[in-house]
Amino acid sequence: MTTSFLQTDLLQECYGCRACEKICPKGAISIKPNSEGFIYPILDLDKCVDCGMCHNVCPYDNPPIEHSPIKAFAFQYHNNIKLLKSSSGGAFPAMADYILSKGGYVCGCIYNNNKEAIHVVSNQSDVVALMSGSKYVQSDLLNVYPEIKKLLDGSQLVLFSGTPCQVAGLLNYLKKTYDNLFTVDLICHGVPSPLLLKRYLDSYKNEVVDLQFRDKMRNGWCSQGSIKIKYGSKKYKIKRISPYNDSYYYYYYLRNSVSRISCYSCAFATRHRISDITIGDYWNIQDIIPELNKAKGVSAVLANTNKGVSLIDKIKNDAILYETSIDDIVKGNGNLQKPCEMPIQRKYIYGKINELGFSKTARQECRFDYVLPLFRKLIPKSIKRTIKKLIYKN
């Protein structure tokens, strides 16, 4: 006989981190996607011995110790190639490069050949390079927790990067502190389901071979950025699209309409962090350090532990680095203050997509919201500048 954790209150709180599955000594827990495409644990009562280990590692039941940030920084990597491929200021690739230079391993999210977001562990620079950039979908941690534990027990240096709940799952799984582990979490907005991303990519007539959110080549570093999609079967084409012109998936994400249910009550959406370092975008940097060139992106970095401070100190010569106020970073990032609120649309949107399909649902749900952005797109830039001058003058 089997029963699902979906039948309990955990449905609202489960983060999908897989820690319970990996810690179970009897293999009584398996992971399955629900109708929305989010993964949840399934318990086999015939195998379960009621040891309680699954609840002990659950980030919701037992969140790790929180740290108040010690220092805050504005960060821009000197490596121009990796800076342009990153979503903000290149803080993650800078840390990853340092770990690799010391013979260590990096764990982060990449797209596999099927454009599924998965976490992998690697000490190969070409693989680690794929971990840079925003993925905007829930990644699957697969088997990385046991793999990381084996490396740590073998005295290997490891850098782990993920959402706060994924960091929490790892820390609870390990059950002890490792001096050779550095954890980096993201200022997380919430995660859509892998199935939703697949349906979006399937809406293209030709196979999508590359996907990059927050591409900087068209508009530089900005809050929304372009999506770069490379597609085709024999002769590849590259298309850069705006979230408010041609990407319903990105639009849904920005409107908080398709996140995992637990994201709306996330216990980690606070200025108090569980990782060594927190990274994100330094959106209000122009008001704080106006002399810094923000066109290529600037990372907001919170060093939350002494270990985190030491890692930033080791890479400070590889970047433009300004020590700033913790409060300034918090002010510019709402998810360091509270989780995103659940819109009414979230209660029915996945069901509607399952019934009508992605494209038809998107056209129905977004048709009115797209009118103003499309109108703005048609206005020449010279007229836009004139309107702005008149507004600011008055």
Side-chain angles (χ1 to χ4, degrees):
M1 176 183 177
T2 62
T3 185
S4 167
F5 284 169
L6 294 177
Q7 296 171 2
T8 73
D9 292 338
L10 194 59
L11 170 62
Q12 301 295 321
E13 309 299 345
C14 174
Y15 297 114
C17 71
R18 284 185 179 262
C20 59
E21 174 205 19
K22 299 306 175 186
I23 204 68
C24 181
K26 299 298 181 180
I29 297 174
S30 58
I31 299 295
K32 303 291 183 183
N34 68 357
S35 62
E36 295 180 346
F38 291 107
I39 59 172
Y40 285 89
I42 307 295
L43 177 65
D44 187 334
L45 289 178
D46 293 335
K47 295 181 180 179
C48 179
V49 294
D50 201 23
C51 65
M53 293 181 69
C54 55
H55 292 289
N56 290 338
V57 299
C58 177
Y60 174 73
D61 287 342
N62 294 287
I65 296 173
E66 294 180 338
H67 311 280
S68 295
I70 300 172
K71 290 186 177 183
F73 303 93
F75 187 103
Q76 191 175 73
Y77 199 14
H78 281 322
N79 187 316
N80 196 52
I81 294 175
K82 293 186 178 182
L83 173 61
L84 288 176
K85 289 184 177 180
S86 72
S87 296
S88 49
F92 170 74
M95 289 183 279
D97 285 347
Y98 171 79
I99 297 296
L100 292 179
S101 73
K102 298 300 178 181
Y105 290 75
V106 180
C107 181
C109 178
I110 70 169
Y111 290 122
N112 64 14
N113 292 335
N114 295 322
K115 297 299 160 290
E116 297 164 332
I118 60 171
H119 261 66
V120 297
V121 182
S122 180
N123 62 352
Q124 303 298 312
S125 58
D126 57 338
V127 176
V128 173
L130 300 175
M131 299 175 188
S132 292
S134 300
K135 303 301 190 292
Y136 291 157
V137 66
Q138 182 161 38
S139 65
D140 195 332
L141 291 162
L142 299 174
N143 202 46
V144 298
Y145 291 166
E147 190 174 352
I148 289 172
K149 187 178 188 305
K150 183 177 180 180
L151 289 170
L152 294 173
D153 288 338
S155 300
Q156 297 287 348
L157 191 64
V158 177
L159 174 71
F160 178 86
S161 172
T163 61
C165 58
Q166 291 174 334
V167 173
L170 173 64
L171 294 177
N172 283 358
Y173 174 84
L174 294 174
K175 294 187 288 187
K176 72 173 187 177
T177 302
Y178 286 87
D179 292 336
N180 49 328
L181 171 66
F182 290 92
T183 56
V184 179
D185 73 348
L186 314 171
I187 302 175
C188 183
H189 179 84
V191 289
S193 85
L195 180 60
L196 187 70
L197 179 61
K198 182 181 185 303
R199 285 175 170 167
Y200 167 62
L201 297 179
D202 286 347
S203 68
Y204 283 82
K205 294 181 179 179
N206 294 297
E207 179 187 5
V208 174
V209 296
D210 190 30
L211 172 68
Q212 182 179 346
F213 290 97
R214 302 275 302 280
D215 174 59
K216 297 176 182 177
M217 297 307 294
R218 174 180 286 180
N219 299 316
W221 176 61
C222 62
S223 61
Q224 297 157 9
S226 301
I227 304 175
K228 176 184 175 182
I229 295 181
K230 184 177 179 181
Y231 62 98
S233 54
K234 294 182 179 179
K235 191 173 183 180
Y236 296 132
K237 297 180 180 179
I238 293 179
K239 183 177 183 180
R240 288 185 171 88
I241 55 181
S242 163
Y244 286 109
N245 294 332
D246 198 20
S247 174
Y248 292 120
Y249 179 88
Y250 202 2
Y251 176 83
Y252 280 138
Y253 171 78
L254 293 173
R255 292 292 296 269
N256 311 318
S257 299
V258 288
S259 294
R260 189 182 181 98
I261 288 295
S262 58
C263 295
Y264 301 105
S265 58
C266 178
F268 306 108
T270 170
R271 67 186 293 156
H272 304 292
R273 315 303 291 177
I274 60 169
S275 61
D276 296 309
I277 294 173
T278 297
I279 58 175
D281 294 280
Y282 211 136
W283 292 126
N284 51 341
I285 191 64
Q286 67 275 4
D287 301 324
I288 300 163
I289 310 175
E291 65 271 22
L292 181 60
N293 181 0
K294 66 183 184 65
K296 295 179 181 179
V298 183
S299 293
V301 177
L302 295 175
N304 308 313
T305 65
N306 289 328
K307 195 176 0 177
V309 173
S310 71
L311 180 55
I312 297 301
D313 187 62
K314 287 178 173 62
I315 62 174
K316 65 182 180 182
N317 294 328
D318 299 325
I320 298 172
L321 189 71
Y322 289 89
E323 187 168 349
T324 65
S325 164
I326 296 169
D327 288 338
D328 285 335
I329 290 180
V330 172
K331 288 177 184 176
N333 287 277
N335 293 112
L336 288 176
Q337 303 172 51
K338 62 180 182 179
C340 293
E341 295 183 5
M342 182 189 297
I344 295 175
Q345 188 183 45
R346 176 60 180 88
K347 296 180 180 180
Y348 63 83
I349 192 66
Y350 276 101
K352 193 169 183 179
I353 290 171
N354 288 339
E355 179 184 355
L356 301 179
F358 180 86
S359 297
K360 188 173 182 178
T361 301
R363 287 193 296 270
Q364 289 184 5
E365 291 293 320
C366 305
R367 63 186 185 276
F368 295 115
D369 294 314
Y370 264 58
V371 172
L372 182 57
L374 284 173
F375 179 68
R376 287 174 178 168
K377 184 182 179 183
L378 295 173
I379 299 176
K381 290 184 178 180
S382 58
I383 296 178
K384 289 180 183 178
R385 287 194 290 267
T386 302
I387 292 174
K388 286 182 179 179
K389 287 180 181 179
L390 291 174
I391 292 173
Y392 293 138
K393 184 177 181 180
N394 295 329

